[in-house]
Amino acid sequence: MNLDMINRRGLVLLGCGKMGSAMLEGWLGQGLRPEATWVIDPHPSDWLKGVAANGLTLNDGMPDAPAVVLIAVKPQMMGAALPQIAGFGGGDTLIVTVAAGTTIATYEAAFGAGTHIVRAMPNTPAAVGRGITAITGNAVTTPADLDLAEALLSAVGQVVRLEGEHQMDAVTAVSGSGPAYVFHLIEALAAAGEAEGLPAELAMQLARATVTGAGELAHRAPETAEQLRINVTSPGGTTAAALSVLMEPDTGFPALLRRAVKAAADRGRSLGK
């Protein structure tokens, strides 16, 4: 990532919780200068205070016209947070937001319709550099703006571009909330192992290793997920017996996940109103 412009003009990070910290750590590792970074966070972590000791500006003023302002506060804190940075609207500062459920229209109301705004939806595996983030911009966003946002967000994983904001609720329901579904799968798989007679600790060890290992295989393998499933399923075997339950059209995974993802997407739509 070319950080020359950001190191020259500065970057403001509003909110430095788990997601903000993961991104900031990635940027610093790729060459962002602490002296070119301003962070606003009412409850800074010890790690952030340590970075501030090396030149980052923490809760003390801001540059006049930073290259990027990245908003990483929780949606319920948005009303109090946005006025602190409203003055950056209308210029050539790029506003990037990773807050869930807050629409571009909300930011345009705060910053002005002429402000370049990119809305992004990352997910929690960003904390280990394995996230995936979807981005979309408002009407005045340029290709260069999207390139800059993608370069910043790629510090914590993959980045995809959407056709428009209308796809954001579905993205939130699949990848934004999706890690929780996987964690619950681990819980449920471990509980099922216990029900078959395994000690709780062993069942959880097996479930965690199985899900994380299968995920890594899906990440590395050239085959599709469907083919990987077929590869491990012998006709008439134990896996086939389990899949006959999991793939049952009305009560199995497909129907259950359709309902779950729809519920999450519907909730995202209601939060955005």
Side-chain angles (χ1 to χ4, degrees):
M1 177 172 60
N2 189 338
L3 288 168
D4 291 347
M5 179 181 65
I6 295 176
N7 278 329
R8 186 173 67 253
R9 292 177 50 192
L11 179 146
V12 174
L13 177 61
L14 181 64
C16 198
K18 290 182 179 179
M19 187 62 67
S21 295
M23 291 187 293
L24 179 57
E25 186 173 9
W27 300 332
L28 293 169
Q30 294 184 26
L32 176 66
R33 293 172 51 242
E35 296 84 0
T37 311
W38 284 255
V39 175
I40 305 168
D41 191 284
H43 306 291
S45 65
D46 291 340
W47 174 81
L48 182 57
K49 292 175 183 177
V51 179
N54 289 322
L56 176 146
T57 302
L58 178 60
N59 296 327
D60 185 19
M62 283 181 278
D64 293 332
V68 178
V69 172
L70 198 142
I71 301 169
V73 299
K74 295 184 183 300
Q76 58 267 33
M77 298 170 59
M78 202 65 68
L82 287 185
Q84 301 178 67
I85 55 172
F88 294 127
D92 61 354
T93 294
L94 174 64
I95 307 295
V96 180
T97 171
V98 299
T102 305
T103 63
I104 288 174
T106 301
Y107 297 107
E108 289 179 335
F111 293 104
T115 304
H116 297 227
I117 299 168
V118 171
R119 183 179 172 192
M121 172 49 61
N123 63 4
T124 53
V128 291
R130 290 289 297 275
I132 187 163
T133 303
I135 63 173
T136 189
N138 66 345
V140 298
T141 300
T142 67
D145 292 331
L146 289 170
D147 288 345
L148 178 56
E150 181 172 339
L152 282 170
L153 295 164
S154 65
V156 291
Q158 301 177 54
V159 178
V160 296
R161 301 190 187 192
L162 304 182
E163 294 175 2
E165 191 178 21
H166 64 282
Q167 295 180 321
M168 192 60 82
D169 291 317
V171 167
T172 301
V174 173
S175 61
S177 300
Y181 315 157
V182 177
F183 301 146
H184 186 50
L185 171 62
I186 294 173
E187 291 179 293
L189 187 56
E194 282 190 70
E196 289 300 317
L198 292 174
E201 186 175 346
L202 175 58
M204 179 57 73
Q205 182 181 359
L206 289 168
R208 288 183 72 134
T210 298
V211 172
T212 56
E216 185 65 21
L217 180 58
H219 174 67
R220 296 189 188 189
E223 296 94 339
T224 64
E226 178 186 18
Q227 187 58 52
L228 290 171
R229 170 179 56 79
I230 291 170
N231 292 349
V232 76
T233 308
S234 302
T238 57
T239 306
L243 288 175
S244 70
V245 176
L246 293 175
M247 298 176 72
E248 206 283 330
D250 296 325
T251 60
F253 265 179
L256 186 62
L257 283 174
R258 276 195 300 270
R259 285 166 43 211
V261 169
K262 184 180 187 304
D266 288 346
R267 179 59 177 157
R269 294 181 189 104
S270 68
L271 288 173
K273 292 180 180 179

